[in-house]
Amino acid sequence: MAPKTCMLHFEADAYRIQDIRGRTCFHWERTVIVRHPLHLPGYITACSTIVDGTQSTPANTMRFSTLLAASFLPVALAAPYPPKALIEWTTTVTKSFAWFNGEVPAIDQLILDDPSNEEKTIWGVLKSKDEFSKLVKFIEEDEDSVKFLDDKHKGLTFFAPDNDAINRIHERFGHPHLFGNGGDDERKKHFIHDAILYATLPQTINYSQFGRNSTLATELAAKDGTFGGYHRRIKVHSDTFPPKVIINNYVEVTDKDIKASNGVIHKVNAPIFVPFDAMDSIFAYIKETSISAAGILKINLQDSLEFNSKGNKKAYSGDNDRHGRGSPATTFFVPTNKAWEKLPEDLRFFLFSEAGESTLRKLIAFHTIPSEIVFSEWVRSASGDKDVTRATDGDGDISFEWDRHFPTLVNQKLPVHSKKTKSPLPGSQSYNVEFQAHGIYATIIDNPAQNGVVHVLDDVLSPRQVEGEDESKNSQDWEQWKDWLYDWSKKT
């Protein structure tokens, strides 16, 4: 096993070791207590370390599952206070006992928090760290954002891109507003403030808790006439093995649980941008969705997915009654190129020919739910109707299952099914979500858009299909398309 490198911080008389799977080791007065939050029976790793060239001393106390019956060598720390520096694990696991999937967890990170952080606000912590200097400069352009992150009475979660993350974006896109050197001052301040609010959650959420939800509301309320005026959401994808948290499909948490007096900071490898409208979201994944994009443009259905607020200064004024051109709320199930390629070749030729244009329009319209924002665990109507699904916050069991039928752009309702269940891994805090449209599982769910949400399908939905039937029946419908598709198109 290769040596690990980790960051060490000084914290008075209490040491904390945290590995990438969330296992925590506490050290008080030269005594190490090992505790695994998953409480997995017989799941423990023992290792010896060298800290700054000094061999660590085995601790005297261990705490573990009562079902564990094995000899072990405990994790230990050197008695003297280590400096704030990089530590190399020159020896790693020396003897391990793991009965969970036959895997041996490796200690990946040694964290000893700086106690002064907990006396600083999120803004204070950012200013104190050189790695966030470019982000600090960006935020200082808007005094409202500074006041927001410096509010001692809040309890927030903030996703902070470091200097390297900002450099990469600058080199790739050169966005003027991101670096404070373009546009009028008022517009720039609103851009900054929206960006900060969208990168902030209104509650403190630690890294281990991200697996509980597929999406989370941010501090940014929609004030441009879209999204029903609700708070915009971020998508959260959490993997257990190996541990990883991805935000909105492209931002990864690289350092976690940096504590502040008014919340917690998670360092990320890219800024989290406020999402585009649903049509632009499809273009963002053009390699996978180019056929759907071409079909939408061919039949001129983009107004059902777009919301154009460009050039309207009121978009940044904070007024919530502004209306732009396009659709202020929509849900779209976008078929991938793979989905279209599953169709019979003669059907594809027909749909994208002049003769099949009307049928293609109605077929894509069947994948579109207007005036509704349908996430897997959060459903809202643009009219302001309240969600009928079960709440997904809190500390208890947040499992649920629901079935609803939503009107589409054609005269036919689309059945949608969502099921959220707790992970079967013992002690895990994560949940799994299954999301279906007309019996077809979505392969990528809950992609937030300015005016709604986009879900990805590897099958084109058959409007002929009887509710509750599965993918095989969907495929059979398309094989028999000449028997029913012409009649369906005329009736809808």
Side-chain angles (χ1 to χ4, degrees):
M1 185 178 298
K4 300 287 183 180
T5 300
C6 49
M7 182 66 73
L8 178 67
H9 298 288
F10 171 75
E11 182 186 8
D13 199 23
Y15 294 167
R16 178 167 63 91
I17 302 175
Q18 189 172 48
D19 73 4
I20 56 175
R21 292 168 176 79
R23 182 181 53 202
T24 305
C25 307
F26 296 98
H27 176 96
W28 292 286
E29 298 178 353
R30 306 182 186 180
T31 300
V32 176
I33 300 174
V34 178
R35 177 174 58 84
H36 198 295
L38 298 184
H39 302 295
L40 299 178
Y43 190 103
I44 191 167
T45 300
C47 68
S48 174
T49 66
I50 294 178
V51 179
D52 273 2
T54 303
Q55 178 68 39
S56 60
T57 305
N60 298 320
T61 307
M62 297 287 291
R63 182 181 300 156
F64 48 89
S65 169
T66 56
L67 297 182
L68 175 64
S71 301
F72 55 86
L73 179 65
V75 176
L77 290 175
Y81 289 137
K84 191 173 184 177
L86 288 175
I87 304 299
E88 180 176 295
W89 295 87
T90 54
T91 60
T92 54
V93 177
T94 57
K95 195 169 185 180
S96 303
F97 300 92
W99 287 268
F100 183 67
N101 283 346
E103 293 186 9
V104 176
I107 291 180
D108 186 72
Q109 195 174 25
L110 176 61
I111 305 174
L112 303 180
D113 291 325
D114 185 344
S116 62
N117 280 356
E118 298 195 19
E119 299 173 1
K120 299 174 185 175
T121 62
I122 290 174
W123 176 241
V125 173
L126 294 175
K127 288 191 68 176
S128 70
K129 295 181 178 292
D130 291 339
E131 62 183 324
F132 297 123
S133 61
K134 293 195 173 184
L135 176 63
V136 167
K137 182 180 179 181
F138 171 65
I139 297 173
E140 285 177 335
E141 295 281 339
D142 175 48
E143 61 183 20
D144 289 339
S145 295
V146 173
K147 291 178 182 178
F148 171 72
L149 294 176
D150 203 34
D151 190 336
K152 297 179 174 62
H153 303 291
K154 293 185 178 293
L156 307 172
T157 298
F158 183 64
F159 298 98
D162 62 8
N163 293 343
D164 289 340
I166 292 178
N167 286 339
R168 283 192 294 271
I169 295 297
H170 193 188
E171 291 169 1
R172 185 172 182 181
F173 300 108
H175 198 301
H177 291 159
L178 186 61
F179 303 96
N181 59 357
D184 62 80
D185 287 343
E186 181 182 357
R187 185 180 179 89
K188 180 167 58 180
K189 287 181 178 179
H190 281 296
F191 177 89
I192 293 170
H193 197 57
D194 282 358
I196 297 306
L197 292 180
Y198 189 65
T200 307
L201 308 179
Q203 69 272 40
T204 300
I205 298 181
N206 295 321
Y207 187 86
S208 62
Q209 297 174 300
F210 282 126
R212 291 175 62 81
N213 294 87
S214 177
T215 64
L216 292 165
T218 69
E219 283 279 1
L220 179 61
K223 296 182 179 180
D224 60 357
T226 65
F227 213 71
Y230 298 108
H231 282 253
R232 301 200 179 281
R233 304 182 76 80
I234 60 168
K235 175 183 177 179
V236 182
H237 177 79
S238 178
D239 286 333
T240 303
F241 298 105
K244 182 184 294 186
V245 171
I246 303 293
I247 308 297
N248 285 4
N249 297 320
Y250 66 93
V251 177
E252 183 175 354
V253 175
T254 56
D255 194 6
K256 59 188 177 182
D257 298 339
I258 304 170
K259 288 183 169 55
S261 63
N262 62 342
V264 64
I265 301 169
H266 301 288
K267 185 169 76 174
V268 292
N269 66 350
I272 304 175
F273 292 111
V274 179
F276 308 121
D277 64 28
M279 189 67 206
D280 280 341
S281 297
I282 295 169
F283 280 122
Y285 300 96
I286 196 66
K287 284 185 178 181
E288 291 79 27
T289 59
S290 58
I291 297 178
S292 286
I296 293 167
L297 295 176
K298 177 179 175 61
I299 60 178
N300 198 28
L301 199 64
Q302 59 266 35
D303 275 358
S304 298
L305 302 172
E306 288 179 338
F307 187 86
N308 187 359
S309 59
K310 297 176 182 178
N312 190 333
K313 291 186 177 180
K314 291 189 73 178
Y316 295 93
S317 69
D319 296 337
N320 204 27
D321 58 351
R322 188 189 63 77
H323 296 282
R325 181 178 66 83
S327 175
T330 189
T331 298
F332 186 59
F333 291 88
V334 57
T336 60
N337 293 347
K338 176 182 176 181
W340 290 104
E341 289 165 359
K342 286 181 180 179
L343 299 181
E345 186 175 357
D346 54 350
L347 173 56
R348 293 202 308 271
F349 181 83
F350 167 72
L351 289 173
F352 286 87
S353 69
E354 185 177 353
E357 189 170 308
S358 174
T359 303
L360 179 64
R361 166 183 287 274
K362 293 174 182 178
L363 183 58
I364 292 178
F366 180 64
H367 290 69
T368 309
I369 301 173
S371 303
E372 299 276 356
I373 307 167
V374 186
F375 286 86
S376 64
E377 56 186 16
W378 187 87
V379 181
R380 293 293 188 277
S381 168
S383 63
D385 295 339
K386 292 185 177 181
D387 182 19
V388 300
T389 62
R390 182 174 175 178
T392 59
D393 54 4
D395 296 326
D397 186 357
I398 53 175
S399 302
F400 65 78
E401 185 171 7
W402 56 261
D403 288 281
R404 295 181 65 176
H405 293 68
F406 297 95
T408 64
L409 286 176
V410 293
N411 187 26
Q412 186 171 343
K413 289 188 175 182
L414 179 64
V416 178
H417 175 81
S418 185
K419 183 178 181 180
K420 181 174 182 175
T421 56
K422 197 167 185 179
S423 170
L425 298 178
S428 174
Q429 297 187 51
S430 297
Y431 284 76
N432 300 320
V433 177
E434 297 176 355
F435 195 59
Q436 296 172 284
H438 217 347
I440 302 299
Y441 285 96
T443 54
I444 304 175
I445 65 172
D446 294 337
N447 299 289
Q450 175 197 13
N451 57 341
V453 59
V454 176
H455 307 283
V456 179
L457 302 172
D458 275 344
D459 290 272
V460 178
L461 298 178
S462 163
R464 182 196 191 194
Q465 186 181 352
V466 177
E467 180 184 350
E469 296 189 358
D470 57 14
E471 182 180 341
S472 61
K473 179 60 169 65
N474 192 79
S475 177
Q476 182 180 348
D477 283 346
W478 290 125
E479 293 295 333
Q480 301 169 352
W481 69 274
K482 293 178 183 178
D483 296 339
W484 61 271
L485 187 59
Y486 299 116
D487 290 340
W488 174 83
S489 180
K490 290 178 182 179
K491 292 177 181 178
T492 54

